[in-house]
Amino acid sequence: MMVKVRIWGSLQKATDNKEFVEVEAENFKQLLDNLSLKYPKLKPQISRGVSVAIDGLIYKNSWFTPIKPENEVVLMPYMVGG
Amino acid sequence: MSPLDNTYEKQFKVIGTRPPRPDGIEKVTGKAQYGADLYVPDMLYAKILRSPHPHAKIISIDTSEAEKLDGVKAVVTSKDFSKFSDNKPSDTLVNCIAHEKALYDGHCVAAVAALSNTIAKSALKLINVEYEILPHVTDVDEAMKTDSPIVNKGYVLENVPKGFSENVTSYYEFGHGDLDNGFNNADLIVERTFKTEAAHQGYIEPHACLASMTPDGKADLWCCTQGHYNVRALCADIMGMESSQLRVTPSEIGGGFGGKTTIFIEPIALALSLKSGKPVKLVMTRDEVFKATGPTVSSSMDVKIGMTKDGVITAGEANLRYQGGAFPNGTVEMGAQSAFAAYDLKAVRTKGWNVLTNRPKQAAYRAPGAPQAIYAVESVVDELCQKLNLDPLEIRIKNAAKKGTKSSYGPTFDDIGLIATLEAAKKHPHYLAPLEENQGRGLSCGFWFNFGGDTCVTLNVNFDGTIGVTEGNPDIGGSRASISQMAAEELGISYDKVRTIIADTNSLGHNEVTDGSRVTFAVGLATIKAARAAIKEMCKRVSLIWGIDEDAVRWENGSAIPAGPNAGQFDPMSIEEIAAMSSQTGGPIAGHHEVNAEGAGVSFGVHLADVEVDKETGSTKVLRYTVFQDAGKAIHPSYVEGQMQGGAVQGIGWALNEEYIYGEDGRLQNAGFLDYRIPVASDLPMIEPVILEIPNPGHPYGVRGVGETSIVPPLAAINNAVSRATNIRFSELPLSPPKVLSSLKKEINDG
């Protein structure tokens, strides 16, 4: 299933300046794996860590969190806190 | 999507009550065991030699005279760590002990273990370090210039645009919409540059640890920390150990606020222990805490916001420059995402640069990165309201983010509590209370993300039917009480039947650090699930006793009962009865839950501050302060209120007095609580907390994090109050008396 993913501003250089990209994914891990495959310039940031917001809820790294085509999916920097 | 089961609409019996804190007696009688309180036989005492230079190449270190001193048992330098690993030393290790260069005033260069602190101190004087002093930089804007001294090479990420110094290590940009169009539609645009200084978390307990390492590679480490599993991971990596061979036990903790989420002295103590063959205790002085642990970033920020005459924000833009010391940090991206999170904007753009300087490596401090950015944005929003003669609270309601808003950092908000929080502030008597001459009222919104993470809980049903909960997150804000309450609620028993303890690293699987406002959310969630597992097992045992199907037994009010009339007629069997027979019915009963908890909800707060400025001295007195915060379900309201009050007090200190002051020589000028002034009780009025309970759908009881959001609004709330009291717009923190007085005098001189 194709999932539409929003890329943050400074990371859009890695996606040919596209704000939205589409990749095959049914879960968090597939999303990151396929983003790295399709857009290799995303790989350094994904390797350092990213979070993914799915319908507004932010997920840090749970690989098997399901993602559906109708979900709003947004790539975000890896969350840190104090 | 609702990822978790939600039972938060149930009627609670234990949740929401205020039982006495379980650590209260130990703490008020001085019996609590903090990091420096552990003593073991044959223990040595360690001291650290620190660089007096902000930036210097280490040519040589001669420890021979120190080693000869009677009573000295071991001396270590960076060379002692190279034998543990062939890999390039990690930033964490190089921050703990300088390798090729001293990178900031106070950077550790060597350490001694001796029979007493006095001998160890004497030995430090006998260590001869030859330095080649290098040019230094401590200001973020200076450090970004191409001709700045380079602090630490090799850290520039691929995302940094050209044209900056190598000190700029990473760059982030967020936002959406057409900024030019937005600003064209504005009736008034305000653009200002702001600066904030680094502030320290100000925990009262200095870092302390005791390490005992044997030649066969086993070690025990006791320390005050917000996350002993992280301590184990970092130290095991540095020492070349397997995790199973390093057991870390957390002490009681005297404050952390993010500053104890990493390590500073623990590998030093381990290496000294290995070298000496003795247990080694290492306790920082306050001077060392200021110089060599992690304060916040300092910042330089440009904010531009456009507004129509009737108060609609048409566009917002922020450029944020954060310095985080001599190593890369990930803070500006959090600020850039948070800056405009409270607003529903058609056009918004934030950019952020992380920068290296010759200062200690920054550490997290409650909502890292957000207070600075939101201070700048909320100050400009207030100035626009004042210039357009608009009510600042009404304007925030008018522009507030809500369900369906495309947030400034990307995702669309689901249910959030900002408008409810603003409405609560509007209805509160504080908002309309009269002010007198030289007094001003400031308002600010605040925001933080919150998160969950790896969490393990074991819940044991003792033979007498009482409960022992074992969890792995140091209790920095009352979590033991809240966890016990959630266990009691789920099991249908009273709070006093449950005791929660924090276990060492060998007792549970990995637990993420106590940070991100995660513990009551994530550990609570795991506790609820562990209790449900124990209940399932107890129902199974009772089904065996009654000779009926397991499904025919259910749990109610602390007892197993038949699930319905078809299950048969049986008297309820209490948890005490089930526990007493557990040996005969299959063995001890326990519930476990291990999870990477996701689904923590974001949180908003609104603060109101009244101040009075003494125009003769420039001193600011806080007259009244009210905190409104969406806390989700408040498990133990007193602790939630304490978090809200504590964050407010720390933010007030940051706004009014607290700052790292560096001299031209690059050395820290105020490394002590006499010269770095945090607010004390007599400085402040009672902070009034107003809890709004808007349940988080991502938690069974509706819990969301509360520990960080409360430090976000005070910087702008105080700045806005002082600006309105003096009719001068301030744009640098802290608003210390000399700074305010100088501006007042300039205003008079300028007419």
Side-chain angles (χ1 to χ4, degrees):
Chain A
M1 290 182 290
M2 294 301 278
V3 175
K4 188 175 168 187
V5 189
R6 182 161 188 251
I7 308 294
W8 74 75
S10 47
L11 200 57
Q12 290 166 21
K13 281 181 187 167
T15 57
D16 307 323
N17 296 317
K18 289 179 195 160
E19 182 181 359
F20 292 96
V21 297
E22 289 198 12
V23 290
E24 285 270 354
E26 293 185 11
N27 61 39
F28 186 111
K29 184 174 189 302
Q30 289 174 6
L31 180 84
L32 299 191
D33 288 349
N34 291 335
L35 278 171
S36 294
L37 277 176
K38 195 167 180 179
Y39 299 97
K41 288 180 184 170
L42 284 175
K43 209 169 180 179
Q45 179 64 52
I46 288 174
S47 300
R48 286 193 294 272
V50 290
S51 303
V52 177
I54 304 170
D55 285 351
L57 274 181
I58 300 167
Y59 296 82
K60 281 175 78 176
N61 52 12
S62 289
W63 279 0
F64 305 113
T65 304
I67 300 176
K68 296 173 185 165
E70 64 268 28
N71 292 146
E72 180 201 56
V73 181
V74 180
L75 212 59
M76 297 173 66
Y78 193 74
M79 291 285 114
V80 295
Chain B
M1 179 162 50
S2 184
L4 302 165
D5 62 315
N6 301 303
T7 56
Y8 55 79
E9 289 176 1
K10 69 185 276 188
Q11 290 297 308
F12 292 115
K13 291 179 179 171
V14 185
I15 301 305
T17 63
R18 300 172 186 247
R21 55 188 302 162
D23 52 344
I25 289 176
E26 289 92 334
K27 285 184 174 171
V28 299
T29 58
K31 291 188 173 68
Q33 296 279 309
Y34 290 95
D37 289 331
L38 192 66
Y39 294 83
V40 295
D42 286 336
M43 185 177 83
L44 302 177
Y45 297 83
K47 286 286 173 190
I48 287 176
L49 182 69
R50 298 186 177 278
S51 167
H53 308 296
H55 196 193
K57 188 175 178 185
I58 298 170
I59 306 295
S60 64
I61 304 175
D62 182 355
T63 61
S64 56
E65 292 301 314
E67 285 162 14
K68 287 179 199 164
L69 185 68
D70 196 27
V72 169
K73 300 298 179 185
V75 182
V76 295
T77 67
S78 64
K79 286 182 181 168
D80 289 276
F81 291 87
S82 61
K83 60 191 167 203
F84 302 133
S85 171
D86 295 330
N87 297 333
K88 181 177 179 279
S90 64
D91 289 355
T92 305
L93 172 58
V94 179
N95 190 39
C96 288
I97 187 161
H99 280 52
E100 294 170 1
K101 291 200 298 183
L103 293 163
Y104 52 88
D105 171 29
H107 199 172
C108 163
V109 292
V112 172
L115 292 175
S116 71
N117 273 320
T118 307
I119 297 170
K121 269 188 204 173
S122 300
L124 294 185
K125 294 175 187 166
L126 300 175
I127 298 173
N128 184 26
V129 185
E130 188 183 350
Y131 294 103
E132 177 190 332
I133 296 172
L134 301 170
H136 65 270
V137 61
T138 56
D139 178 80
V140 63
D141 292 320
E142 292 298 319
M144 291 178 76
K145 293 177 182 170
T146 50
D147 59 351
S148 168
I150 305 302
V151 174
N152 214 347
K153 282 185 172 290
Y155 286 103
V156 181
L157 296 184
E158 74 286 347
N159 58 23
V160 178
K162 288 178 181 166
F164 294 107
S165 151
E166 204 177 326
N167 293 325
V168 179
T169 56
S170 56
Y171 168 72
Y172 292 87
E173 184 182 324
F174 305 92
H176 58 258
D178 184 340
L179 276 187
D180 290 339
N181 186 49
F183 285 122
N184 285 338
N185 290 334
D187 293 311
L188 180 64
I189 294 170
V190 167
E191 188 171 8
R192 273 192 184 276
T193 295
F194 294 86
K195 284 203 159 199
T196 66
E197 244 312 330
H200 197 273
Q201 298 83 351
Y203 34 81
I204 299 305
E205 182 199 20
H207 295 258
C209 70
L210 194 156
S212 182
M213 191 162 183
T214 53
D216 62 353
K218 291 198 299 293
D220 275 284
L221 178 66
W222 296 267
C223 59
C224 63
T225 175
Q226 287 178 240
H228 44 305
Y229 291 86
N230 192 44
V231 171
R232 181 179 67 173
L234 293 169
C235 288
D237 179 56
I238 287 170
M239 302 300 293
M241 298 173 70
E242 293 176 346
S243 292
S244 59
Q245 299 308 308
L246 175 57
R247 184 174 68 154
V248 183
T249 305
S251 68
E252 199 64 67
I253 184 168
F257 314 110
K260 291 178 181 169
T261 53
T262 186
I263 56 172
F264 301 101
I265 55 173
E266 291 80 0
I268 309 294
L270 283 164
L272 286 167
S273 177
L274 181 65
K275 202 164 183 179
S276 66
K278 304 272 189 186
V280 172
K281 184 173 184 171
L282 181 44
V283 181
M284 273 185 159
T285 62
R286 181 61 59 187
D287 181 88
E288 289 179 296
V289 170
F290 272 106
K291 286 181 173 169
T293 64
T296 65
V297 299
S298 66
S299 70
S300 168
M301 304 172 286
D302 310 318
V303 170
K304 179 180 177 184
I305 301 176
M307 189 180 276
T308 63
K309 282 178 190 168
D310 58 353
V312 175
I313 299 175
T314 58
E317 183 179 17
N319 292 331
L320 314 174
R321 300 168 292 275
Y322 287 6
Q323 75 71 30
F327 300 89
N329 74 91
T331 309
V332 86
E333 53 267 45
M334 303 306 289
Q337 291 177 96
S338 305
F340 288 98
Y343 294 102
D344 185 352
L345 300 175
K346 286 184 179 158
V348 58
R349 187 82 58 218
T350 54
K351 297 176 181 176
W353 293 262
N354 282 312
V355 184
L356 303 180
T357 63
N358 293 112
R359 294 193 186 207
K361 178 176 167 55
Q362 68 88 41
Y365 184 16
R366 288 181 128 151
Q372 298 92 333
I374 289 176
Y375 147 70
V377 167
E378 287 293 274
S379 296
V380 172
V381 170
D382 193 68
E383 184 174 354
L384 283 160
C385 292
Q386 195 174 22
K387 285 181 169 166
L388 291 168
N389 199 25
L390 298 167
D391 182 296
L393 187 41
E394 293 289 358
I395 294 310
R396 283 172 172 88
I397 292 171
K398 190 171 202 167
N399 293 282
K402 52 194 167 292
K403 184 173 184 172
T405 292
K406 183 177 184 177
S407 69
S408 56
Y409 57 90
T412 303
F413 284 126
D414 197 347
D415 283 317
I416 53 172
L418 176 58
I419 289 182
T421 312
L422 285 162
E423 293 285 359
K426 187 179 166 185
K427 287 178 196 155
H428 194 278
H430 183 166
Y431 194 59
L432 294 176
L435 292 168
E436 295 175 11
E437 194 180 355
N438 298 329
Q439 295 179 357
R441 176 165 300 138
L443 161 69
S444 175
C445 296
F447 163 84
W448 186 242
F449 294 98
N450 305 320
F451 55 75
D454 288 330
T455 308
C456 303
V457 166
T458 287
L459 183 148
N460 292 303
V461 181
N462 303 318
F463 280 169
D464 61 358
T466 61
I467 300 297
V469 177
T470 305
E471 54 124 331
N473 276 94
D475 176 359
I476 59 172
S479 57
R480 278 169 292 193
S482 300
I483 299 309
S484 292
Q485 284 180 277
M486 284 186 261
E489 184 74 48
E490 199 64 31
L491 290 163
I493 61 177
S494 62
Y495 169 81
D496 58 8
K497 300 291 184 193
V498 185
R499 183 175 181 190
T500 297
I501 64 149
I502 318 298
D504 64 57
T505 48
N506 264 36
S507 302
L508 292 169
H510 187 87
N511 283 273
E512 203 166 303
V513 172
T514 297
D515 68 353
S517 303
R518 72 173 218 93
V519 173
T520 306
F521 167 76
V523 181
L525 184 149
T527 301
I528 291 165
K529 297 292 178 83
R532 289 178 187 174
I535 287 169
K536 189 172 187 326
E537 180 62 23
M538 286 190 282
C539 287
K540 180 183 156 193
R541 302 289 178 92
V542 171
S543 74
L544 293 171
I545 294 167
W546 288 345
I548 62 175
D549 287 345
E550 193 178 329
D551 292 346
V553 181
R554 68 181 177 90
W555 195 259
E556 188 175 285
N557 294 328
S559 296
I561 62 170
N566 295 334
Q569 291 290 319
F570 301 100
D571 290 335
M573 187 169 274
S574 71
I575 190 169
E576 290 89 350
E577 292 171 290
I578 300 164
M581 287 184 257
S582 58
S583 185
Q584 292 79 16
T585 59
I589 296 169
H592 304 266
H593 196 71
E594 293 81 29
V595 65
N596 180 357
E598 302 274 25
V602 300
S603 159
F604 289 90
V606 174
H607 290 201
L608 287 178
D610 290 0
V611 304
E612 182 170 294
V613 178
D614 184 330
K615 290 191 171 173
E616 289 188 1
T617 64
S619 171
T620 298
K621 184 174 179 59
V622 181
L623 303 171
R624 186 173 183 178
Y625 201 101
T626 310
V627 178
F628 307 84
Q629 190 170 319
D630 166 18
K633 182 63 194 171
I635 301 297
H636 189 305
S638 297
Y639 278 118
V640 172
E641 290 164 357
Q643 290 282 358
M644 292 160 66
Q645 292 166 318
V649 170
Q650 289 184 306
I652 291 167
W654 200 347
L656 287 179
N657 282 301
E658 296 182 40
E659 61 177 322
Y660 266 49
I661 301 170
Y662 281 91
E664 290 293 317
D665 58 1
R667 302 196 68 188
L668 184 60
Q669 306 294 299
N670 59 335
F673 279 139
L674 281 176
D675 296 318
Y676 179 100
R677 195 171 184 286
I678 62 172
V680 296
S682 56
D683 290 327
L684 296 170
M686 177 57 77
I687 308 292
E688 183 182 348
V690 179
I691 302 172
L692 283 94
E693 293 186 302
I694 298 154
N696 170 22
H699 187 277
Y701 293 170
V703 170
R704 70 178 80 235
V706 297
E708 292 174 285
T709 302
S710 54
I711 202 171
V712 179
L715 282 64
I718 294 291
N719 190 56
N720 293 336
V722 173
S723 294
R724 285 175 180 262
T726 57
N727 210 25
I728 300 169
R729 278 284 153 186
F730 290 89
S731 54
E732 280 190 29
L733 296 184
L735 295 163
S736 53
K739 201 178 287 175
V740 173
L741 192 59
S742 168
S743 295
L744 287 166
K745 283 181 176 171
K746 184 172 182 298
E747 188 77 358
I748 291 166
N749 291 339
D750 292 350

